[in-house]
Amino acid sequence: MAPSTEFDVEKIGQSLAGTARTWRNKLDQRLRPLGLSQSKWTALVHLATAETTPTQRELAALVGIEEPTLAGILDRLQSDGWIERKESATDRRCKTVHLSRDAKPVIEKIYSTARELRHELIADIPSDDLQICMAVLARIRERAEIVSTNAPGGGPTAKRNGKNKARVPPPEGE
């Protein structure tokens, strides 16, 4: 029997997830000497890219984790001097999360490290291939964000952590 030249579509999800996980782990290894775990640098990047100052609850939704998990991460980030939590001006029941002045050089290092890694990983891939890859990934993501009304528990909008919110992208190096 001749080997199949057909693309094995059954492995695409596994390939996407594996690539993202490996890329994230490589970035994590490079940021670890700065005292940054994946959970810390992910939270910092989401704070740096947020359009408005998020509450702890909103930040947990952006990061895609539960609030109690985020609280521990924020405790460590605050202890490191990289964030501040303040009473919300509009709702005294919650706190907003702010980057401190000390976070700026750390954020810049996260982005420069991510940029270096990205350049290493895609260095020999032709630009045309990367453009096709990005277009295909965008189409897959668009479809994945739409929950079919025919699916069990589905509805007309995509939901993340029970909210109709889009996730803020990770640093460009990911």
Side-chain angles (χ1 to χ4, degrees):
M1 180 176 202
S4 173
T5 57
E6 228 176 279
F7 174 71
D8 187 355
V9 74
E10 298 298 320
K11 293 184 180 179
I12 192 146
Q14 185 178 14
S15 181
L16 285 170
T19 301
R21 181 178 48 255
T22 302
W23 194 320
R24 213 172 27 255
N25 287 340
K26 289 294 178 190
L27 183 55
D28 192 43
Q29 288 172 2
R30 293 181 184 201
L31 293 173
R32 195 162 298 282
L34 300 172
L36 291 167
S37 63
Q38 195 170 121
S39 58
K40 283 182 173 182
W41 63 257
T42 300
L44 288 171
V45 166
H46 282 282
L47 276 172
T49 58
E51 293 179 19
T52 60
T53 303
T55 63
Q56 288 185 189
R57 174 174 286 176
E58 291 166 340
L59 183 58
L62 289 171
V63 175
I65 60 176
E66 297 295 323
E67 286 183 68
T69 303
L70 179 68
I73 295 166
L74 294 179
D75 287 344
R76 292 188 293 280
L77 289 172
Q78 192 164 6
S79 174
D80 293 336
W82 294 333
I83 66 148
E84 298 171 356
R85 289 183 266 197
K86 299 178 181 178
E87 298 292 328
S88 170
T90 58
D91 185 350
R92 61 184 181 170
R93 294 171 297 169
C94 60
K95 293 187 183 273
T96 54
V97 185
H98 305 259
L99 290 172
S100 71
R101 291 178 196 227
D102 293 343
K104 186 175 182 180
V106 173
I107 300 286
E108 289 172 1
K109 185 64 178 172
I110 292 169
Y111 282 111
S112 68
T113 302
R115 192 172 29 258
E116 290 169 14
L117 177 61
R118 182 181 61 248
H119 288 300
E120 286 176 37
L121 296 177
I122 66 172
D124 63 347
I125 301 172
S127 178
D128 289 348
D129 289 354
L130 290 171
Q131 288 177 349
I132 291 168
C133 177
M134 292 298 294
V136 169
L137 291 173
R139 287 174 61 191
I140 292 170
R141 183 175 180 166
E142 286 170 9
R143 289 180 181 172
E145 288 176 344
I146 298 170
V147 177
S148 170
T149 55
N150 297 329
T157 60
K159 293 193 176 200
R160 179 169 183 82
N161 290 335
K163 295 185 178 187
N164 294 332
K165 288 198 170 189
R167 185 170 179 227
V168 175
E172 287 188 24
E174 264 205 295

